[in-house]
């Protein structure tokens, strides 16, 4: 006997036999559902007071019989999708509806996520039961998969060629997405930003989402959509509310996305609550940054520090639904299941963290010896810091004629790089490029990279590189200064470098120079590099004072200066 799945508790033997008889029913291959099967399911559903559903294959045979709740039907695990790009599952879902509610959000989510051929809800009440059905089609300029829904007043009015429409839609899906259909699903995400209402919150939200979009691009993720929600207050449990998550899940599945990326850090309880509400993969901002770091780490230092940061972030999130008995061990008074798989994972993670910390400390001591040799040799050190993608690596290459990787991506350079720059009169300094900073840099990353950033602790001068062409240059400057303060480096002498002036209007460059005392340069075409080298040499070897701002403040003063120029 084939199994009856779902909620079978309390069913009588005769009812189970009638459910078993459903497997003997057949449907025409090109028809959605036969009148006989629809009547059989309706009679069963009315007798049980529960929804009843079947999965029908393309040959018209009943593959699964499922019993649900009065208002919901939970589908069992139906295995992996069929191979081949753009192909649908080869199964259609036919279920009953005790009330005339039509297709639910869950029906459409199952259609999109499981890539079913079609879903149909057959109404069991009323003199003329309606049939609601849907299948996936390609629509819109962005060529996304969306459910196409339709309602018929009676099962007798169902056209004979409904499944032919499904097969035609599958041909179009395969044509549009081709052999990349599986990758298209796996590497596509919806970005989610949630903020509490406040002054200027809309502008802050849009700027933050733009940065998240750039992070996603750097990680190799295709962004299907962006959702910004401004609430009276952020939901402490699910961030944006359970109903909104369900709506967001449906939207993601319509777009073929399997990942939700939140523009905030999610606590372990929030992450668990959200993942219990949606079957989509859920990432927060820190996880996305960690993934980028893992992609770009090349040196042994970088790889160890990234792994340490990932483990420290993941450890409190190694949870399961019930851990009440997880600490029972053998022995008197403690007879139980022993150490659970979860506890084993936690213990191994803690042991790995301890080994990584020891290895990073060993490498840190080695770097300390190299710094001591440079100090004994009286070789000055100049550190380069700044917001990610401000042009630090390009500046290092331009000053030292090096070939450090420099791309227009966030965190393109992760591993610290040290090069020498020679001046006339046999003078030389060591120039150190560090990992780029970012707003609200995760504390796991700050702690993991603290050993690397020790290179800046003995710097004779810090070059703070700003992207002069960035409208958010002030916010990024403040973020960098905050991290330097957390690292205890705010007392180091600093020289502001206004990079990318070749992409910036001259009046704005003049305003920034006036209020920061910075040196305008273009690391790409060499503009201003001679002046920067002269200032660095004068400060390091001749104790010359650094340029100072002519005005207090920053952004507001720069705007005011521009107004003065205009008048």
């Amino acid at each position: 006997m084939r199994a009856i799945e779902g909620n079978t508790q309390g069913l009588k033997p005769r009812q189970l036999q009638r459910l078993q008889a459903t497997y003997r029913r057949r449907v025409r291959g090109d028809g959605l559902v036969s009148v006989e099967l629809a009547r059989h399911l309706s009679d069963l559903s009315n007798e049980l007071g529960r929804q009843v559903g079947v999965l029908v294959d393309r040959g018209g045979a009943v593959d699964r019989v499922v019993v649900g709740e009065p208002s919901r039907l939970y589908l069992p695990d139906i295995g992996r999708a069929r191979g081949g790009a753009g192909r649908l599952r080869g199964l259609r879902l036919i279920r009953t509806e005790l009330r005339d509610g039509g297709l639910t959000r869950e029906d459409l989510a199952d259609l999109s996520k499981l890539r079913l051929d079609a879903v149909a809800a057959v109404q069991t009440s009323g003199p003329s039961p309606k049939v609601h059905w849907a299948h996936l089609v390609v629509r819109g300029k962005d060529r996304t998969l969306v459910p196409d829904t339709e309602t018929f007043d009676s099962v007798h009015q169902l056209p004979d060629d409904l499944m032919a429409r499904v097969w035609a839609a599958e041909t179009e899906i395969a044509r549009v997405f081709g052999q990349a259909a599986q990758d298209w699903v796996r590497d596509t995400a919806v970005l989610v930003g949630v903020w509490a209402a406040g002054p200027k919150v809309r502008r802050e939200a849009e700027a933050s989402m733009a940065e998240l979009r750039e992070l996603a691009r750097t990680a190799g993720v295709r962004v299907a959509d962006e959702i910004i929600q401004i609430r009276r207050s952020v939901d402490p449990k699910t961030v944006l509310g359970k109903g909104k998550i369900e709506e967001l899940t449906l939207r993601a599945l319509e777009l073929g996305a399997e990942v939700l990326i939140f523009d905030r850090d999610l606590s372990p309880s929030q992450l668990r609550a959200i993942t219990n509400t949606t079957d989509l993969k859920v990432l927060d901002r820190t996880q996305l940054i960690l993934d980028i770091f893992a992609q770009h780490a090349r040196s042994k230092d970088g790889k160890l520090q990234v792994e340490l940061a990932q483990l420290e972030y993941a450890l409190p999130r190694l949870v399961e639904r019930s851990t009440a008995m997880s600490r029972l061990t053998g022995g008197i008074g403690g007879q139980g299941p022993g150490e659970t798989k979860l506890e084993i994972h936690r213990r191994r993670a803690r042991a790995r963290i301890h080994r990584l910390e020891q290895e990073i400390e060993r490498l840190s001591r080695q770097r300390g010896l190299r710094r001591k040799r440079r100090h004994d040799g009286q070789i000055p050190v100049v550190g380069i810091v700044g917001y990610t993608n401000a042009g630090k690596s390009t500046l290092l290459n331009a000053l030292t004629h090096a070939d450090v990787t420099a791309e227009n991506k966030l965190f393109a350079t992760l591993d610290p790089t040290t090069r020498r720059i020679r001046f006339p009169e046999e003078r030389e300094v060591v120039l150190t490029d560090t990992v780029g900073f970012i707003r609200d840099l995760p504390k796991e990353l700050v702690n993991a990279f603290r050993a690397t950033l020790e290179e800046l602790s003995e710097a004779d001068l810090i070059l703070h590189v700003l992207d002069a062409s960035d409208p958010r240059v002030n916010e990024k400057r403040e973020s960098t200064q905050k991290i330097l303060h957390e690292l205890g480096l705010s007392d180091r002498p600093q020289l502001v470098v206004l990079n990318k002036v070749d992409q910036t209007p001259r009046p704005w460059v003049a305003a920034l120079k006036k209020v920061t005392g910075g040196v305008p340069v273009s690391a790409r075409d060499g503009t201003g590099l001679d002046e920067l080298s002269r200032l660095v040499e004068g400060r390091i070897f001749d104790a010359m004072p650094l340029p100072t701002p002519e005005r207090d403040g920053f952004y507001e003063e720069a705007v005011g200066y521009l107004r003065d120029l205009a008048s």
Side-chain angles (χ1 to χ4, degrees):
M1 295 177 62
R2 301 183 65 177
I4 305 300
E5 304 187 64
N7 181 23
T8 59
Q9 185 175 4
L11 296 186
K12 300 177 181 178
R14 183 181 60 82
Q15 293 170 335
L16 291 172
Q17 289 175 359
R18 292 192 63 194
L19 287 167
Q20 282 286 344
T22 308
Y23 281 109
R24 297 196 293 269
R25 304 272 176 172
R26 293 191 67 84
V27 180
R28 276 180 46 187
D30 56 350
L32 180 66
V33 59
S34 65
V35 175
E36 293 78 11
L37 178 60
R39 184 181 297 118
H40 174 73
L41 294 177
S42 297
D43 292 343
L44 276 171
S45 190
N46 286 327
E47 180 182 345
L48 302 178
R50 308 175 190 178
Q51 291 187 9
V52 178
V54 293
L55 289 167
V56 181
D57 63 25
R58 291 193 175 180
V62 175
D63 184 75
R64 301 283 185 94
V65 178
V66 187
V67 180
E69 306 290 343
S71 60
R72 176 174 286 188
L73 182 76
Y74 295 95
L75 287 182
D77 182 10
I78 58 177
R80 298 179 61 184
R82 299 162 70 215
R87 300 189 68 182
L88 299 177
R89 178 76 61 164
L91 294 173
R92 75 199 82 156
L93 169 65
I94 312 297
R95 70 165 183 85
T96 58
E97 176 62 52
L98 296 174
R99 297 182 297 272
D100 186 16
L103 294 175
T104 65
R105 186 177 296 163
E106 288 80 5
D107 290 326
L108 300 180
D110 288 337
L111 176 69
S112 298
K113 181 184 178 184
L114 301 177
R115 292 160 64 192
L116 297 174
D117 287 357
V119 294
V122 179
Q123 184 183 337
T124 63
S125 60
S128 179
K130 296 180 180 180
V131 178
H132 309 270
W133 89 295
H135 71 290
L136 294 174
V137 295
V138 180
R139 281 187 181 160
K141 294 182 179 180
D142 52 355
R143 313 301 286 165
T144 56
L145 284 177
V146 297
D148 183 22
T149 61
E150 193 173 0
T151 300
F152 297 96
D153 292 331
S154 171
V155 68
H156 296 281
Q157 297 181 5
L158 292 176
D160 294 334
D161 64 342
L162 288 185
M163 292 307 297
R165 299 187 198 177
V166 173
W167 301 330
E170 183 182 45
T171 301
E172 178 67 7
I173 292 171
R175 186 189 69 81
V176 171
F177 299 111
Q179 296 303 314
Q182 297 291 344
D183 293 336
W184 167 78
V185 171
R186 184 175 62 250
D187 298 329
T188 303
V190 173
L191 308 185
V192 185
V194 184
W195 285 267
K200 299 181 180 179
V201 67
R202 171 62 64 174
R203 190 181 72 178
E204 295 175 4
E206 291 175 351
S208 184
M209 289 297 285
E211 185 171 89
L212 184 68
R213 183 168 59 250
E214 188 65 18
L215 284 169
R217 183 181 73 88
T218 302
V221 175
R222 186 179 78 88
V223 177
D225 198 5
E226 299 177 18
I227 306 296
I228 295 179
Q229 186 185 52
I230 298 177
R231 303 164 52 95
R232 181 177 301 175
S233 61
V234 177
D235 190 306
K237 184 176 181 180
T238 59
V239 180
L240 41 62
K242 186 175 180 180
K244 188 67 176 179
I245 292 177
E246 293 177 350
E247 178 184 332
L248 186 61
T249 300
L250 178 58
R251 175 61 178 160
L253 293 174
E254 288 174 353
L255 297 172
E258 285 201 342
V259 184
L260 297 179
I261 302 178
F262 283 77
D263 188 29
R264 60 172 46 241
D265 287 343
L266 301 175
S267 68
S269 61
Q270 288 174 335
L271 183 62
R272 185 163 59 253
I274 295 172
T275 52
N276 286 342
T277 305
T278 176
D279 290 333
L280 299 176
K281 185 177 181 180
V282 179
L283 300 177
D284 61 13
R285 190 170 177 273
T286 295
Q287 287 175 291
L288 183 61
I289 294 175
L290 286 171
D291 184 77
I292 295 171
F293 273 53
Q295 291 180 35
H296 292 171
R298 295 292 181 268
S299 69
K300 184 175 182 180
D301 276 4
K303 291 178 180 179
L304 290 176
Q305 289 166 148
V306 169
E307 185 181 356
L308 175 61
Q310 288 176 323
L311 285 172
E312 288 182 336
Y313 181 82
L315 184 59
R317 290 162 176 80
L318 287 176
V319 295
E320 61 184 7
R321 292 186 178 180
S322 178
T323 58
M325 304 294 289
S326 64
R327 292 188 178 276
L328 289 182
T329 59
I332 298 175
Q335 294 297 329
E339 201 173 27
T340 66
K341 189 174 183 180
L342 174 65
E343 283 298 316
I344 292 173
H345 288 169
R346 284 175 171 166
R347 178 167 51 80
R348 289 176 177 172
R350 292 191 187 99
R352 180 61 178 166
I353 287 174
H354 181 66
R355 288 196 299 270
L356 288 173
E357 288 176 339
Q358 289 181 324
E359 182 65 15
I360 290 173
E361 178 62 26
R362 184 182 67 81
L363 295 174
S364 178
R365 289 195 296 270
Q366 292 179 359
R367 285 192 299 270
L369 292 175
R370 290 195 293 270
R371 287 197 301 271
K372 184 177 184 302
R373 285 196 293 268
R374 287 200 299 264
H375 183 269
D376 294 342
Q378 297 183 341
I379 301 177
V381 177
V382 176
I384 303 178
V385 302
Y387 210 82
T388 180
N389 207 30
K392 301 182 300 300
S393 297
T394 306
L395 180 64
L396 178 72
N397 288 338
L399 290 174
T400 65
H401 306 291
D403 56 353
V404 177
T405 301
E407 299 180 67
N408 186 25
K409 289 183 178 180
L410 305 186
F411 302 114
T413 304
L414 176 61
D415 300 313
T417 305
T418 299
R419 296 290 186 272
R420 293 196 179 197
I421 177 172
R422 295 184 180 275
F423 298 101
E425 303 179 18
E426 297 301 322
R427 293 173 170 179
E428 66 177 13
V429 300
V430 170
L431 212 58
T432 300
D433 180 22
T434 58
V435 62
F437 297 154
I438 197 168
R439 175 183 59 86
D440 299 329
L441 188 67
K443 62 181 179 62
E444 290 85 4
L445 290 178
V446 173
N447 293 335
F449 282 83
R450 189 177 298 275
T452 301
L453 295 172
E454 287 174 356
E455 298 290 332
L456 300 175
S457 62
E458 298 181 7
D460 299 275
L461 177 64
I462 291 179
L463 301 183
H464 183 174
V465 182
L466 299 177
D467 180 357
S469 65
D470 194 329
R472 298 175 54 234
V473 59
N474 184 41
E475 299 171 30
K476 295 182 176 182
R477 178 191 69 92
E478 291 177 346
S479 296
T480 301
Q481 291 291 358
K482 178 181 177 182
I483 295 173
L484 288 175
H485 177 74
E486 293 173 354
L487 294 171
L489 300 173
S490 55
D491 61 336
R492 299 282 91 187
Q494 285 189 33
L495 174 61
V496 174
V497 181
L498 302 173
N499 193 25
K500 305 185 183 180
V501 296
D502 55 320
Q503 306 172 26
T504 312
R506 288 187 178 181
W508 183 243
V509 174
L512 291 179
K513 180 180 179 181
K514 197 173 188 68
V515 301
T516 64
V519 185
V521 305
S522 171
R524 187 169 63 177
D525 64 17
T527 302
L529 293 183
D530 291 340
E531 174 66 11
L532 176 61
S533 298
R534 185 186 65 79
L535 288 173
V536 170
E537 183 183 12
R539 167 64 187 179
I540 295 296
F541 296 105
D542 302 325
M544 292 175 56
L546 295 173
T548 56
E550 297 182 29
R551 290 175 175 237
D552 294 329
F554 190 85
Y555 185 80
E556 293 78 7
E557 289 296 333
V559 173
Y561 179 70
L562 285 176
R563 289 174 181 161
D564 294 342
L565 289 178
S567 61

